[in-house]
Amino acid sequence: MPATVPGAAPAEEAAEERRRPALSPSRAADFKQCPLLYRFRAVDRLPEAPSAAALRGTLVHAVLERLFDLPAAERVPARAKALVGVVWAEIAEEAPELVAAVLAELRERRAAADTDGSDQVAQPEQPAEPEQPAEAEQPVEAVAAEQIAEAEQPVPPPEAADLLPGWLASAETLLDTYFALEDPRSFEPQSRELLVETELSSGVPLRGYLDRLDVDTEGGLRIVDYKTGAAPREAAEARALFQMKFYALALLELRGTVPEQLRLVYLGEGGEELTYRPEAGELRRFQRILEAIWAAIREADRTGDFRPRRGPGCDWCAHRALCPAWDGTPPPYPGWPELRAAAFTSSGTAPDTVSGPAHGDAHGGGASSAA
């Protein structure tokens, strides 16, 4: 799969576990949001059930990556939509348990909608019964009781086959938005799902995956990231920009060039593009933020004190039952010997730095396996 299936543990992720820890955009954002959430994801690696939205995002990302395997003239909406079924079949074969979880979520949503009356299905009119002779007529009370009993019969839950077409169609809608924002026939990206991995002069290791890297005729770099939600509010936009600055800093380290443009492509309702032009000084100031986060992670590992931080994200956190901020009890801290070994290696030997171009189009998921 060209993109990590949420909750899965593909071979690439298993291999990552044997590598030294590194800071990724998502895990750095986790630590800023809640150090305990970072610990649960990066150290304990507690499983999280995928949501339908997350799996749809994986599906759309994979389709957009595959789209550029086609000749330029064939990168049209019909071919992209045909890829939806192909990629979905691969996901279903690779991780059937994730598919089952998503279908269960869709059934729960449908059942909840039916319960509150927000998704009523009109019943077809029944043909009139032939008129009965007077002596065969039933009392009014009996007829009413029979009608009430029929109305109270439970409606059988929809089968998976009834739910999947609509869900897959929602992925196709996101692709329609993509084509409204960009013509993929007009350019050739240099890389897709590109692994960027480097180490800052301070010893902080960085690792992440870019959705797409474009290079213009003069060598200018453009980092492109697809978002399958709607354009964010200010707080969410800051988180997205944090991710893009991370990638820009990594490329500055690897290629000695500040990317000319950071481009976020939102495929949700309405569709929108947000672009940003970073500067070298700004990225170096951002570097100090990452260094502070890494130092705090190292200290939390030393003491075992990854403190929870309550906030809006708690409402949908998968680990709330284990959080002391919500009267939960986390498992004993297992320690992170790989982190300490990495620190020793970093201080004692030259870092094993791999440039983005050497990896080419690295397939195998997002940065979820990084620290």
Side-chain angles (χ1 to χ4, degrees), residues 189-207:
Q190 184 184 82
S191 300
R192 291 159 283 137
E193 286 296 317
L194 174 67
L195 169 65
V196 290
E197 188 172 26
T198 188
E199 184 173 294
L200 301 175
S201 58
S202 56
V204 177
L206 306 181
R207 186 183 303 145

Side-chain angles (χ1 to χ4, degrees), residues 76-113:
V76 295
R79 290 299 304 272
K81 292 179 180 180
L83 285 171
V84 169
V86 173
V87 175
W88 172 249
E90 293 177 4
I91 293 176
E93 181 178 0
E94 178 182 329
E97 71 284 358
L98 302 182
V99 176
V102 168
L103 290 174
E105 178 185 334
L106 295 177
R107 279 192 288 264
E108 288 176 4
R109 288 185 188 176
R110 178 64 177 271

Side-chain angles (χ1 to χ4, degrees), residues 181-182 263-266 271-275:
L181 295 172
E182 182 174 76
R263 182 165 171 250
L264 290 156
V265 181
Y266 289 93
E272 189 172 341
E273 294 177 314
L274 299 178
T275 60

Side-chain angles (χ1 to χ4, degrees), residues 20 199 202-204 341-351:
R20 61 180 183 152
E199 184 173 294
S202 56
V204 177
F344 174 80
T345 302
S346 177
S347 61
T349 62

Side-chain angles (χ1 to χ4, degrees), residues 99-191:
V99 176
V102 168
L103 290 174
E105 178 185 334
L106 295 177
R107 279 192 288 264
E108 288 176 4
R109 288 185 188 176
R110 178 64 177 271
D114 289 343
T115 300
D116 64 21
S118 61
D119 191 22
Q120 295 294 333
V121 179
Q123 296 296 323
E125 289 187 3
Q126 298 297 322
E129 292 289 337
E131 188 174 338
Q132 299 292 327
E135 63 270 20
E137 290 183 356
Q138 295 177 311
V140 174
E141 294 82 356
V143 173
E146 183 178 337
Q147 291 174 342
I148 292 172
E150 289 179 358
E152 290 179 344
Q153 289 296 317
V155 178
E159 297 296 328
D162 299 327
L163 297 169
L164 273 178
W167 184 78
L168 291 174
S170 70
E172 295 179 0
T173 299
L174 296 177
L175 293 171
D176 284 334
T177 302
Y178 168 75
F179 280 94
L181 295 172
E182 182 174 76
D183 183 359
R185 297 172 298 179
S186 63
F187 64 95
E188 292 291 339
Q190 184 184 82
S191 300

Side-chain angles (χ1 to χ4, degrees), residues 260-282:
E260 292 189 358
Q261 187 180 96
L262 311 179
R263 182 165 171 250
L264 290 156
V265 181
Y266 289 93
L267 305 179
E269 184 177 358
E272 189 172 341
E273 294 177 314
L274 299 178
T275 60
Y276 188 80
R277 295 184 180 277
E279 298 179 352
E282 176 187 15

Side-chain angles (χ1 to χ4, degrees), residues 53-94:
L55 193 55
R56 184 180 62 179
T58 297
L59 174 61
V60 171
H61 275 75
V63 168
L64 289 175
E65 183 190 359
R66 299 271 185 95
L67 186 66
F68 287 98
D69 288 335
L70 300 174
E74 298 181 24
R75 298 171 194 161
V76 295
R79 290 299 304 272
K81 292 179 180 180
L83 285 171
V84 169
V86 173
V87 175
W88 172 249
E90 293 177 4
I91 293 176
E93 181 178 0
E94 178 182 329

